[in-house]
Amino acid sequence: NRKNALFACHDEGAKAWGRIASLIETAKINGVEPFPYLKGTLKAIAGGHPNDRLDELLLWNYAA
C-alpha cells in the first residue's frame, strides 16, 4: 500500500490515495468487502442520496 502511494506523482494525488486506502483498510477491519461497499456508496451518492442521511452510508451502518 505504501509503495502505491509513491506513484501518486502529486501531493493532491497522494492525499486522495490516502483517503481511499484508509476507507479500504477500515472496511477490511470491520469485515466489509471494500469494493461492494465503495460501489454501493458512490452509487447512492450519485443517485441523489439525501445529505441529511449520510450517516446511513457509513461503514458501520452498511448492509450488503
Side-chain angles (χ1 to χ4, degrees):
N1 189 14
R2 195 170 60 182
K3 289 183 181 181
N4 289 335
L6 294 174
F7 298 102
C9 297
H10 194 272
D11 288 345
E12 292 304 313
K15 288 178 187 177
W17 173 251
R19 290 179 188 119
I20 295 296
S22 178
L23 278 172
I24 290 170
E25 293 304 317
T26 303
K28 290 178 183 178
I29 289 170
N30 285 286
V32 175
E33 285 292 322
F35 181 73
Y37 168 71
L38 290 171
K39 182 179 175 184
T41 301
L42 292 173
K43 203 173 192 180
I45 292 169
H49 191 83
N51 287 340
D52 60 345
R53 291 182 20 219
L54 287 179
D55 58 325
E56 296 172 0
L57 301 176
L58 296 175
L59 257 167
W60 38 89
N61 295 331
Y62 178 73

